[in-house]
Amino acid sequence: MKKSALPLKSISGNEKQITVSGKEGLVKLLRWHFGHSDFRGKQLDAIQAVLCGRDCFCLMPTGGGKSMCYQIPALARPGRIVLVISPLIALMENQVMALKEKGIAAEYLSSTQASHIKSKIHEDLDSGKPSTRLLYVTPELIATPQFMSKLTKIHARGLLNLIAIDEAHCISTWGHDFRPAYRNLSSLRNRIPDVPILALTATAVPKVQKDVIGSLCLQDPLVLKSSFNRPNIYYEVRYKDLLDDAFADLSSVLKSSSNVCAIVYCLERTTCDGLSAYLSKNGISSAAYHAGLNNKMRSSVLNDWISSKIQVVVATVAFGMGIDRKDVRIVCHFNIPKSMEAFYQESGRAGRDQLPSKSLLYYGVDDRKRMEFILRNSESKKLQSSSSPGRMSEKCLSDFSQMVEYCEGSGCRRKKILESFGEEVSPSLCNKSCDACKNPNLIVKHLEELKATYAVHQRCNLSQVLINSSNDMTDREQSSEFWNRDDEASCSEEDISETDEDEEDVTNLSRSRLSKKLGISAKIELLEHAEKSYYHKQNADKQDKKLDKNAITQTLREGSKQRLLNALKQAQQRLGNLSVDFETSASLLESECYKKYGKSGKTFYISQLASTVRWLSTTNSTELRARLAIDTPSPTGNVMSEISMEQKPPKTSNADISCSISSGRSIRTSPSKSASQSTKLPSLPSFSEFVNSCKRKGQQLNAPQNQSPRSMEKRVRLQ
Ligand SMILES: Nc1ncnc2c1ncn2[C@@H]1O[C@H](COP(=O)(O)OP(=O)(O)OP(=O)(O)O)[C@@H](O)[C@H]1O
Ligand SMILES: [Mg+2]
């Protein structure tokens, strides 16, 4: 639908080339083109600033109307172009389509477009009087010399009105959605001087705000910040470990909300598929959406959801930025998100029409541990590239701890969210619009129950074992990066259609199956099977890769030593004073693993390491001392000299390796001269032996106590 141009005469008094910058004229544009009666929040301030040629940093909540801050300037200054940099093609497509429907000349340039369409856009840009008012591009395109040269020409002809950078937090490595391609934007200020830059974001903590302003070289920008508060969203947390069946619980929430539009976020694609199937079976129209589906399927799901053919989308974070359906009533996180910023951004997709909506988060201890594992593991990947890995690691985990506090705390949820963004919150702000303020006693009761289940959980420690052993198993280069899009840095121009996660192998040890009503034996079987297939897959994958990929790096060895050191310290806590030199012993144990499997490759080395860590968590003092040869010193009497002698990995026979794989058990194939010849060394427990021993210990610990049937049931489930 083409709309005629607003008769600007009535505003400016004469011809079209005059910029509209007064409030009255701008409101008229807003009403005429978008049908909104007035500006919201800081929209007008941002618009007037950029129209006066001033840089502006604009922080507005999700759904606050940031787009208007660059769309109105495009209409207020005829004859010039607003360049909009946007992180996702889908996001650009949606906005351009919506603008075109309103009769506004908007275009986007992307690698997904047919070349004749691109040519037409370029033709218009090269013409004396381009009709394009808004040109959307990706940060990847900005990096190409061809486009940059075009842009400088447009600028030289005085046709550039404004550069708007949407989702500007993506430029900061401190932000939750860092996009390396956004770094290209730092050069814009120098290449295109004198054109105001408008940076827009919904989620930037003070550190990120500073980083964005600095990286884009904004000069004396007008900094506009609105409160992050979303008063129309009710926040609620449900505890998976206190529920019999989280799938059923969510299903009944959705049913009782009478077919409202909802988004359910899951960590894994398999959960999306499973949960969506479950909901559909229970009469709720739903579909899964994730990067495992092809483009056609994804578009079809998106369209069905936008047009209300389906009620619920069960998605990974691939269902991301730019989803502009205003009447989403429920956003559910079926797994805990990685940070408060991610949570805020995703839950903020509810109630963009400002009507009452709900954010519902299902929290479970296994989910928490798995996310911790993923974050640590992702950090391992960055170790090689980052100059300050410790800093990043600290950040990821401390970001995540805010999310855990949100779930495990009994205080106001809204306050937690706002404080995490550095806002001061008055006690009356929430007004009972979160579960903790509405039903404080119930939340306290739930948290107490949860604490009881944790206590058992820690004693049996199965989940931790799962995470630890997976952590040990996982090779450093394989970390999941589903939240950042670092990998895109190496992609070709604009290869940025919604990528999401590389699924973790460890996620196949899926607790969704574990936490369902399986008996303990079935769970152990499942875990054991998962561990075996993990090793198997690792082995198969590795065969296809280059030899150096299989090499055990010094960094990996250092990491392994650290892991053993931690395991030794835990053993000390469990067994009392061992009088062991931890550093030396960790080196000795690591050296043994390396000696055995260094030549065979990383998979075996890591597997051996995992077994040793498991062994340390179950062994007794005598065995430990024997293995460390504490009572039987080496001929040199010096453990360290023995280690240095063992640095060279000896040949390992294939028979040794296959034995290790088939039994899943570590076998001492070439014992060190000192320790193993003089001492009968204990064998390491296999994974199932270990789990069974945990089970036995857990049963012994639980047996004598007087437990309520409910808490007993929970404990069994957690085991
Ligand atoms: N002044 C206004 N009055 C009423 N509605 C508005 C106004 N400005 C924008 N909107 C509407 O608010 C909704 C959200 O706008 P927009 O997509 O620009 O938000 P956003 O701040 O970019 O959100 P996000 O952070 O999620 O990208 C849109 O449907 C838009 O039409
Ligand atoms: Mg937006």
Side-chain angles (χ1 to χ4, degrees):
M1 182 201 54
K2 179 106 184 143
K3 188 181 267 183
S4 61
L6 177 65
L8 288 173
K9 248 187 217 159
S10 63
I11 297 166
S12 58
N14 47 39
E15 19 80 54
K16 285 182 172 185
Q17 297 304 315
I18 288 178
T19 302
V20 179
S21 59
K23 180 178 175 187
E24 195 195 335
L26 293 169
V27 170
K28 274 188 183 168
L29 286 173
L30 178 77
R31 288 180 189 162
W32 179 264
H33 289 283
F34 298 96
H36 302 317
S37 57
D38 208 343
F39 287 109
R40 264 192 203 157
K42 306 264 165 68
Q43 280 177 333
L44 184 62
D45 299 319
I47 292 165
Q48 289 186 317
V50 295
L51 285 172
C52 291
R54 188 171 175 190
D55 288 344
C56 180
F57 174 86
C58 187
L59 183 68
M60 267 188 202
T62 47
K66 290 182 282 299
S67 319
M68 213 54 79
C69 301
Y70 51 83
Q71 289 170 348
I72 291 286
L75 301 163
R77 183 172 284 164
R80 296 208 202 162
I81 298 164
V82 169
L83 181 77
V84 184
I85 294 147
S86 171
L88 291 175
I89 294 170
L91 184 69
M92 300 195 302
E93 271 174 359
N94 285 351
Q95 287 210 4
V96 168
M97 206 169 68
L99 289 168
K100 279 186 167 169
E101 273 174 16
K102 291 179 169 57
I104 298 168
E107 299 291 351
Y108 72 95
L109 280 170
S110 99
S111 53
T112 56
Q113 278 164 315
S115 49
H116 72 277
I117 296 180
K118 282 196 238 182
S119 305
K120 238 175 126 191
I121 296 169
H122 283 292
E123 240 170 65
D124 181 59
L125 295 175
D126 295 339
S127 70
K129 265 184 150 188
S131 62
T132 306
R133 293 282 67 85
L134 289 123
L135 178 66
Y136 286 73
V137 298
T138 60
E140 284 80 3
L141 188 64
I142 296 282
T144 63
Q146 298 87 337
F147 186 75
M148 190 45 98
S149 136
K150 168 137 299 171
L151 207 57
T152 27
K153 278 184 199 147
I154 295 173
H155 172 52
R157 288 159 59 210
L159 293 177
L160 214 48
N161 177 350
L162 166 70
I163 298 172
I165 300 172
D166 208 2
E167 312 289 354
H169 59 276
C170 296
I171 201 172
S172 172
T173 46
W174 290 104
H176 73 282
D177 241 330
F178 171 58
R179 289 279 305 274
Y182 261 68
R183 283 279 165 204
N184 303 328
L185 307 180
S186 302
S187 65
L188 276 172
R189 168 60 79 213
N190 280 340
R191 306 289 292 270
I192 319 279
D194 311 323
V195 174
I197 296 179
L198 170 63
L200 304 133
T201 177
T203 48
V205 292
K207 206 170 196 164
V208 176
Q209 294 167 23
K210 252 178 99 180
D211 203 11
V212 171
I213 291 172
S215 306
L216 293 172
C217 312
L218 301 190
Q219 286 157 11
D220 182 30
L222 175 68
V223 177
L224 297 169
K225 292 188 208 170
S226 312
S227 168
F228 285 89
N229 189 24
R230 294 289 310 272
N232 61 321
I233 300 182
Y234 179 90
Y235 294 95
E236 180 176 342
V237 177
R238 293 191 178 213
Y239 298 98
K240 279 181 175 172
D241 299 314
L242 305 180
L243 293 169
D244 286 332
D245 185 337
F247 275 24
D249 190 73
L250 175 60
S251 171
S252 77
V253 169
L254 292 169
K255 273 190 181 162
S256 64
S257 312
S258 54
N259 293 338
V260 291
C261 170
I263 305 172
V264 180
Y265 281 109
C266 305
L267 183 63
E268 298 146 22
R269 297 172 194 176
T270 46
T271 316
C272 293
D273 294 335
L275 182 50
S276 169
Y278 180 93
L279 295 176
S280 300
K281 216 170 119 191
N282 283 275
I284 297 164
S285 69
S286 77
Y289 182 105
H290 50 70
L293 304 174
N294 61 32
N295 284 346
K296 207 169 145 203
M297 272 298 284
R298 284 212 303 253
S299 299
S300 146
V301 172
L302 183 59
N303 290 338
D304 286 353
W305 181 73
I306 297 265
S307 61
S308 302
K309 272 195 205 145
I310 53 169
Q311 177 199 345
V312 181
V313 171
V314 187
T316 61
V317 288
F319 199 69
M321 288 186 251
I323 302 295
D324 186 19
R325 187 167 162 175
K326 291 181 199 164
D327 60 340
V328 179
R329 295 278 77 90
I330 297 177
V331 171
C332 167
H333 284 87
F334 197 71
N335 305 104
I336 184 169
K338 67 175 174 105
S339 69
M340 191 58 94
E341 282 172 281
F343 173 65
Y344 177 77
Q345 184 92 270
E346 286 150 11
S347 61
R349 293 187 182 120
R352 287 157 71 89
D353 55 6
Q354 319 298 318
L355 295 174
S357 308
K358 186 188 249 186
S359 155
L360 177 61
L361 194 160
Y362 281 87
Y363 177 68
V365 65
D366 280 349
D367 285 356
R368 188 195 88 195
K369 286 177 185 297
R370 199 165 56 261
M371 184 54 89
E372 280 167 354
F373 160 68
I374 291 172
L375 293 173
R376 245 183 270 122
N377 196 41
S378 136
E379 184 42 38
S380 303
K381 185 178 177 184
K382 288 178 191 157
L383 263 172
Q384 282 119 18
S385 56
S386 171
S387 54
S388 47
R391 194 186 73 150
M392 288 302 290
S393 169
E394 231 172 73
K395 181 191 160 10
C396 283
L397 290 167
S398 91
D399 281 358
F400 182 59
S401 71
Q402 283 189 329
M403 234 19 260
V404 174
E405 278 166 33
Y406 174 85
C407 299
E408 291 189 354
S410 57
C412 174
R413 313 266 187 219
R414 186 178 304 279
K415 192 165 183 276
K416 276 255 153 50
I417 296 170
L418 297 179
E419 282 179 350
S420 78
F421 289 109
E423 266 185 47
E424 274 182 29
V425 184
S426 79
S428 59
L429 181 81
C430 185
N431 198 18
K432 296 191 191 303
S433 57
C434 78
D435 57 350
C437 291
K438 198 171 174 194
N439 303 308
N441 295 340
L442 187 68
I443 297 298
V444 169
K445 184 171 160 268
H446 283 165
L447 289 172
E448 272 166 12
E449 283 186 45
L450 202 64
K451 223 161 114 189
T453 61
Y454 280 7
V456 177
H457 190 263
Q458 267 167 1
R459 273 190 296 216
C460 184
N461 215 8
L462 182 59
S463 196
Q464 188 61 52
V465 172
L466 172 62
I467 299 298
N468 280 346
S469 60
S470 310
N471 199 353
D472 294 332
M473 285 186 273
T474 303
D475 131 19
R476 283 173 174 257
E477 281 78 19
Q478 273 194 319
S479 49
S480 167
E481 285 289 326
F482 66 92
W483 49 87
N484 279 338
R485 295 164 194 210
D486 296 4
D487 294 344
E488 291 166 11
S490 58
C491 289
S492 61
E493 173 205 341
E494 304 172 19
D495 186 12
I496 58 162
S497 52
E498 301 104 331
T499 57
D500 68 345
E501 71 277 35
D502 285 329
E503 274 181 306
E504 291 286 333
D505 283 277
V506 67
T507 58
N508 293 330
L509 306 177
S510 171
R511 82 279 146 264
S512 59
R513 281 187 290 166
L514 291 174
S515 62
K516 298 269 164 278
K517 291 158 185 165
L518 282 178
I520 186 72
S521 314
K523 286 179 188 173
I524 292 166
E525 213 172 282
L526 192 64
L527 289 167
E528 194 172 9
H529 175 73
E531 187 188 52
K532 275 183 189 159
S533 25
Y534 183 89
Y535 287 145
H536 192 76
K537 183 173 176 293
Q538 287 281 76
N539 192 30
D541 286 352
K542 285 280 151 42
Q543 280 172 6
D544 295 337
K545 292 186 181 169
K546 288 181 191 161
L547 205 64
D548 61 339
K549 285 258 177 195
N550 210 18
I552 297 163
T553 61
Q554 199 50 41
T555 322
L556 177 58
R557 292 196 64 188
E558 287 305 320
S560 306
K561 256 181 241 171
Q562 189 57 44
R563 205 164 291 149
L564 289 163
L565 190 68
N566 294 342
L568 275 162
K569 285 181 182 165
Q570 276 167 14
Q572 153 111 325
Q573 272 176 8
R574 189 169 51 83
L575 300 171
N577 191 9
L578 292 168
S579 313
V580 163
D581 177 342
F582 290 127
E583 292 279 345
T584 310
S585 305
S587 292
L588 172 67
L589 292 172
E590 190 280 331
S591 182
E592 279 184 355
C593 299
Y594 182 69
K595 191 183 77 170
K596 271 188 201 166
Y597 290 122
K599 277 238 169 116
S600 314
K602 193 153 43 180
T603 304
F604 301 109
Y605 168 78
I606 290 170
S607 152
Q608 177 70 6
L609 196 84
S611 298
T612 310
V613 170
R614 285 203 295 271
W615 176 75
L616 282 170
S617 69
T618 53
T619 191
N620 59 36
S621 324
T622 319
E623 283 180 347
L624 184 60
R625 292 170 73 81
R627 179 153 182 202
L628 296 174
I630 290 168
D631 293 328
T632 51
S634 67
T636 58
N638 180 346
V639 174
M640 285 317 288
S641 65
E642 189 178 324
I643 294 163
S644 56
M645 275 162 54
E646 291 179 355
Q647 289 300 319
K648 272 197 220 148
K651 281 185 184 142
T652 311
S653 76
N654 288 339
D656 292 339
I657 298 164
S658 59
C659 183
S660 171
I661 299 168
S662 61
S663 67
R665 179 189 290 263
S666 303
I667 295 168
R668 300 184 66 87
T669 52
S670 46
S672 74
K673 275 179 199 139
S674 63
S676 54
Q677 280 173 2
S678 55
T679 324
K680 191 172 179 315
L681 293 172
S683 63
L684 301 178
S686 72
F687 187 69
S688 60
E689 282 167 352
F690 172 77
V691 173
N692 279 321
S693 80
C694 271
K695 189 183 75 172
R696 279 195 298 278
K697 278 180 196 161
Q699 281 165 350
Q700 278 163 16
L701 281 166
N702 290 338
Q705 278 144 39
N706 285 333
Q707 302 297 337
S708 73
R710 181 172 167 85
S711 63
M712 281 301 283
E713 182 194 321
K714 299 298 163 203
R715 284 166 191 220
V716 168
R717 186 141 36 87
L718 277 166
Q719 287 168 9

